[in-house]
mmCIF file with all atom_site columns, all heavy atoms in Angstrom:
data_model
loop_
_atom_site.group_PDB
_atom_site.id
_atom_site.type_symbol
_atom_site.label_atom_id
_atom_site.label_alt_id
_atom_site.label_comp_id
_atom_site.label_asym_id
_atom_site.label_entity_id
_atom_site.label_seq_id
_atom_site.pdbx_PDB_ins_code
_atom_site.Cartn_x
_atom_site.Cartn_y
_atom_site.Cartn_z
_atom_site.occupancy
_atom_site.B_iso_or_equiv
_atom_site.pdbx_formal_charge
_atom_site.auth_seq_id
_atom_site.auth_comp_id
_atom_site.auth_asym_id
_atom_site.auth_atom_id
_atom_site.pdbx_PDB_model_num
ATOM 1   N N   . ASN A 1 169 ? 9.688  9.710  1.304   1.00 98.00 ? 195 ASN A N   1
ATOM 2   C CA  . ASN A 1 169 ? 10.697 9.264  0.338   1.00 98.00 ? 195 ASN A CA  1
ATOM 3   C C   . ASN A 1 169 ? 10.281 9.601  -1.093  1.00 98.00 ? 195 ASN A C   1
ATOM 4   O O   . ASN A 1 169 ? 9.096  9.565  -1.433  1.00 98.00 ? 195 ASN A O   1
ATOM 5   C CB  . ASN A 1 169 ? 10.911 7.746  0.446   1.00 98.00 ? 195 ASN A CB  1
ATOM 6   C CG  . ASN A 1 169 ? 11.676 7.365  1.697   1.00 98.00 ? 195 ASN A CG  1
ATOM 7   O OD1 . ASN A 1 169 ? 12.687 7.974  2.027   1.00 98.00 ? 195 ASN A OD1 1
ATOM 8   N ND2 . ASN A 1 169 ? 11.192 6.356  2.401   1.00 98.00 ? 195 ASN A ND2 1
ATOM 9   N N   . THR A 1 170 ? 11.306 9.845  -1.945  1.00 98.00 ? 196 THR A N   1
ATOM 10  C CA  . THR A 1 170 ? 11.052 10.323 -3.297  1.00 98.00 ? 196 THR A CA  1
ATOM 11  C C   . THR A 1 170 ? 12.025 9.694  -4.283  1.00 98.00 ? 196 THR A C   1
ATOM 12  O O   . THR A 1 170 ? 13.229 9.626  -4.011  1.00 98.00 ? 196 THR A O   1
ATOM 13  C CB  . THR A 1 170 ? 11.224 11.858 -3.372  1.00 98.00 ? 196 THR A CB  1
ATOM 14  O OG1 . THR A 1 170 ? 10.644 12.470 -2.228  1.00 98.00 ? 196 THR A OG1 1
ATOM 15  C CG2 . THR A 1 170 ? 10.599 12.410 -4.641  1.00 98.00 ? 196 THR A CG2 1
ATOM 16  N N   . VAL A 1 171 ? 11.524 9.263  -5.429  1.00 98.00 ? 197 VAL A N   1
ATOM 17  C CA  . VAL A 1 171 ? 12.352 8.737  -6.513  1.00 98.00 ? 197 VAL A CA  1
ATOM 18  C C   . VAL A 1 171 ? 11.951 9.424  -7.806  1.00 98.00 ? 197 VAL A C   1
ATOM 19  O O   . VAL A 1 171 ? 10.767 9.472  -8.143  1.00 98.00 ? 197 VAL A O   1
ATOM 20  C CB  . VAL A 1 171 ? 12.186 7.208  -6.663  1.00 98.00 ? 197 VAL A CB  1
ATOM 21  C CG1 . VAL A 1 171 ? 12.789 6.713  -7.982  1.00 98.00 ? 197 VAL A CG1 1
ATOM 22  C CG2 . VAL A 1 171 ? 12.834 6.480  -5.490  1.00 98.00 ? 197 VAL A CG2 1
ATOM 23  N N   . TYR A 1 172 ? 12.947 9.934  -8.538  1.00 98.00 ? 198 TYR A N   1
ATOM 24  C CA  . TYR A 1 172 ? 12.729 10.461 -9.883  1.00 98.00 ? 198 TYR A CA  1
ATOM 25  C C   . TYR A 1 172 ? 13.014 9.343  -10.871 1.00 98.00 ? 198 TYR A C   1
ATOM 26  O O   . TYR A 1 172 ? 14.057 8.700  -10.804 1.00 98.00 ? 198 TYR A O   1
ATOM 27  C CB  . TYR A 1 172 ? 13.681 11.626 -10.155 1.00 98.00 ? 198 TYR A CB  1
ATOM 28  C CG  . TYR A 1 172 ? 13.052 12.883 -10.709 1.00 98.00 ? 198 TYR A CG  1
ATOM 29  C CD1 . TYR A 1 172 ? 13.005 14.056 -9.955  1.00 98.00 ? 198 TYR A CD1 1
ATOM 30  C CD2 . TYR A 1 172 ? 12.525 12.919 -12.003 1.00 98.00 ? 198 TYR A CD2 1
ATOM 31  C CE1 . TYR A 1 172 ? 12.445 15.221 -10.458 1.00 98.00 ? 198 TYR A CE1 1
ATOM 32  C CE2 . TYR A 1 172 ? 11.962 14.077 -12.516 1.00 98.00 ? 198 TYR A CE2 1
ATOM 33  C CZ  . TYR A 1 172 ? 11.925 15.234 -11.740 1.00 98.00 ? 198 TYR A CZ  1
ATOM 34  O OH  . TYR A 1 172 ? 11.372 16.389 -12.252 1.00 98.00 ? 198 TYR A OH  1
ATOM 35  N N   . GLY A 1 173 ? 12.096 9.080  -11.812 1.00 98.00 ? 199 GLY A N   1
ATOM 36  C CA  . GLY A 1 173 ? 12.346 8.067  -12.820 1.00 98.00 ? 199 GLY A CA  1
ATOM 37  C C   . GLY A 1 173 ? 13.542 8.426  -13.687 1.00 98.00 ? 199 GLY A C   1
ATOM 38  O O   . GLY A 1 173 ? 13.853 9.608  -13.901 1.00 98.00 ? 199 GLY A O   1
ATOM 39  N N   . LEU A 1 174 ? 14.215 7.414  -14.237 1.00 98.00 ? 200 LEU A N   1
ATOM 40  C CA  . LEU A 1 174 ? 15.443 7.650  -14.979 1.00 98.00 ? 200 LEU A CA  1
ATOM 41  C C   . LEU A 1 174 ? 15.236 8.475  -16.240 1.00 98.00 ? 200 LEU A C   1
ATOM 42  O O   . LEU A 1 174 ? 16.170 9.142  -16.702 1.00 98.00 ? 200 LEU A O   1
ATOM 43  C CB  . LEU A 1 174 ? 16.093 6.313  -15.363 1.00 98.00 ? 200 LEU A CB  1
ATOM 44  C CG  . LEU A 1 174 ? 16.673 5.471  -14.217 1.00 98.00 ? 200 LEU A CG  1
ATOM 45  C CD1 . LEU A 1 174 ? 17.335 4.224  -14.781 1.00 98.00 ? 200 LEU A CD1 1
ATOM 46  C CD2 . LEU A 1 174 ? 17.665 6.268  -13.381 1.00 98.00 ? 200 LEU A CD2 1
ATOM 47  N N   . ASP A 1 175 ? 14.037 8.465  -16.809 1.00 97.00 ? 201 ASP A N   1
ATOM 48  C CA  . ASP A 1 175 ? 13.799 9.263  -18.006 1.00 97.00 ? 201 ASP A CA  1
ATOM 49  C C   . ASP A 1 175 ? 13.233 10.643 -17.679 1.00 97.00 ? 201 ASP A C   1
ATOM 50  O O   . ASP A 1 175 ? 13.001 11.458 -18.586 1.00 97.00 ? 201 ASP A O   1
ATOM 51  C CB  . ASP A 1 175 ? 12.875 8.537  -18.989 1.00 97.00 ? 201 ASP A CB  1
ATOM 52  C CG  . ASP A 1 175 ? 11.489 8.253  -18.417 1.00 97.00 ? 201 ASP A CG  1
ATOM 53  O OD1 . ASP A 1 175 ? 11.172 8.743  -17.312 1.00 97.00 ? 201 ASP A OD1 1
ATOM 54  O OD2 . ASP A 1 175 ? 10.722 7.513  -19.068 1.00 97.00 ? 201 ASP A OD2 1
ATOM 55  N N   . GLY A 1 176 ? 13.004 10.914 -16.397 1.00 98.00 ? 202 GLY A N   1
ATOM 56  C CA  . GLY A 1 176 ? 12.578 12.237 -15.971 1.00 98.00 ? 202 GLY A CA  1
ATOM 57  C C   . GLY A 1 176 ? 11.107 12.547 -16.135 1.00 98.00 ? 202 GLY A C   1
ATOM 58  O O   . GLY A 1 176 ? 10.667 13.645 -15.798 1.00 98.00 ? 202 GLY A O   1
ATOM 59  N N   . ARG A 1 177 ? 10.304 11.603 -16.626 1.00 98.00 ? 203 ARG A N   1
ATOM 60  C CA  . ARG A 1 177 ? 8.892  11.905 -16.896 1.00 98.00 ? 203 ARG A CA  1
ATOM 61  C C   . ARG A 1 177 ? 8.004  11.836 -15.657 1.00 98.00 ? 203 ARG A C   1
ATOM 62  O O   . ARG A 1 177 ? 6.969  12.497 -15.596 1.00 98.00 ? 203 ARG A O   1
ATOM 63  C CB  . ARG A 1 177 ? 8.345  10.959 -17.970 1.00 98.00 ? 203 ARG A CB  1
ATOM 64  C CG  . ARG A 1 177 ? 8.999  11.128 -19.329 1.00 98.00 ? 203 ARG A CG  1
ATOM 65  C CD  . ARG A 1 177 ? 8.343  10.253 -20.376 1.00 98.00 ? 203 ARG A CD  1
ATOM 66  N NE  . ARG A 1 177 ? 8.392  8.842  -19.980 1.00 98.00 ? 203 ARG A NE  1
ATOM 67  C CZ  . ARG A 1 177 ? 7.339  8.034  -19.995 1.00 98.00 ? 203 ARG A CZ  1
ATOM 68  N NH1 . ARG A 1 177 ? 6.150  8.480  -20.333 1.00 98.00 ? 203 ARG A NH1 1
ATOM 69  N NH2 . ARG A 1 177 ? 7.465  6.766  -19.663 1.00 98.00 ? 203 ARG A NH2 1
ATOM 70  N N   . PHE A 1 178 ? 8.412  11.009 -14.694 1.00 98.00 ? 204 PHE A N   1
ATOM 71  C CA  . PHE A 1 178 ? 7.590  10.824 -13.497 1.00 98.00 ? 204 PHE A CA  1
ATOM 72  C C   . PHE A 1 178 ? 8.453  10.847 -12.249 1.00 98.00 ? 204 PHE A C   1
ATOM 73  O O   . PHE A 1 178 ? 9.630  10.475 -12.282 1.00 98.00 ? 204 PHE A O   1
ATOM 74  C CB  . PHE A 1 178 ? 6.826  9.496  -13.564 1.00 98.00 ? 204 PHE A CB  1
ATOM 75  C CG  . PHE A 1 178 ? 5.872  9.401  -14.720 1.00 98.00 ? 204 PHE A CG  1
ATOM 76  C CD1 . PHE A 1 178 ? 6.225  8.713  -15.874 1.00 98.00 ? 204 PHE A CD1 1
ATOM 77  C CD2 . PHE A 1 178 ? 4.629  10.011 -14.663 1.00 98.00 ? 204 PHE A CD2 1
ATOM 78  C CE1 . PHE A 1 178 ? 5.353  8.631  -16.952 1.00 98.00 ? 204 PHE A CE1 1
ATOM 79  C CE2 . PHE A 1 178 ? 3.747  9.938  -15.735 1.00 98.00 ? 204 PHE A CE2 1
ATOM 80  C CZ  . PHE A 1 178 ? 4.112  9.249  -16.877 1.00 98.00 ? 204 PHE A CZ  1
ATOM 81  N N   . ALA A 1 179 ? 7.837  11.275 -11.159 1.00 98.00 ? 205 ALA A N   1
ATOM 82  C CA  . ALA A 1 179 ? 8.453  11.173 -9.838  1.00 98.00 ? 205 ALA A CA  1
ATOM 83  C C   . ALA A 1 179 ? 7.513  10.362 -8.953  1.00 98.00 ? 205 ALA A C   1
ATOM 84  O O   . ALA A 1 179 ? 6.281  10.417 -9.108  1.00 98.00 ? 205 ALA A O   1
ATOM 85  C CB  . ALA A 1 179 ? 8.696  12.550 -9.237  1.00 98.00 ? 205 ALA A CB  1
ATOM 86  N N   . TYR A 1 180 ? 8.098  9.612  -8.029  1.00 99.00 ? 206 TYR A N   1
ATOM 87  C CA  . TYR A 1 180 ? 7.346  8.677  -7.189  1.00 99.00 ? 206 TYR A CA  1
ATOM 88  C C   . TYR A 1 180 ? 7.457  9.133  -5.738  1.00 99.00 ? 206 TYR A C   1
ATOM 89  O O   . TYR A 1 180 ? 8.556  9.338  -5.221  1.00 99.00 ? 206 TYR A O   1
ATOM 90  C CB  . TYR A 1 180 ? 7.884  7.261  -7.397  1.00 99.00 ? 206 TYR A CB  1
ATOM 91  C CG  . TYR A 1 180 ? 7.780  6.841  -8.845  1.00 99.00 ? 206 TYR A CG  1
ATOM 92  C CD1 . TYR A 1 180 ? 8.804  7.133  -9.750  1.00 99.00 ? 206 TYR A CD1 1
ATOM 93  C CD2 . TYR A 1 180 ? 6.623  6.231  -9.332  1.00 99.00 ? 206 TYR A CD2 1
ATOM 94  C CE1 . TYR A 1 180 ? 8.681  6.798  -11.094 1.00 99.00 ? 206 TYR A CE1 1
ATOM 95  C CE2 . TYR A 1 180 ? 6.496  5.898  -10.671 1.00 99.00 ? 206 TYR A CE2 1
ATOM 96  C CZ  . TYR A 1 180 ? 7.531  6.186  -11.546 1.00 99.00 ? 206 TYR A CZ  1
ATOM 97  O OH  . TYR A 1 180 ? 7.405  5.869  -12.880 1.00 99.00 ? 206 TYR A OH  1
ATOM 98  N N   . LEU A 1 181 ? 6.302  9.286  -5.087  1.00 99.00 ? 207 LEU A N   1
ATOM 99  C CA  . LEU A 1 181 ? 6.212  9.938  -3.786  1.00 99.00 ? 207 LEU A CA  1
ATOM 100 C C   . LEU A 1 181 ? 5.570  8.989  -2.785  1.00 99.00 ? 207 LEU A C   1
ATOM 101 O O   . LEU A 1 181 ? 4.430  8.554  -2.979  1.00 99.00 ? 207 LEU A O   1
ATOM 102 C CB  . LEU A 1 181 ? 5.371  11.220 -3.890  1.00 99.00 ? 207 LEU A CB  1
ATOM 103 C CG  . LEU A 1 181 ? 5.556  12.092 -5.152  1.00 99.00 ? 207 LEU A CG  1
ATOM 104 C CD1 . LEU A 1 181 ? 4.616  13.289 -5.107  1.00 99.00 ? 207 LEU A CD1 1
ATOM 105 C CD2 . LEU A 1 181 ? 7.001  12.535 -5.322  1.00 99.00 ? 207 LEU A CD2 1
#
Side-chain angles (χ1 to χ4, degrees):
N195 287 314
T196 318
V197 167
Y198 229 113
L200 291 183
D201 62 8
R203 295 185 302 131
F204 299 100
Y206 301 88
L207 321 178

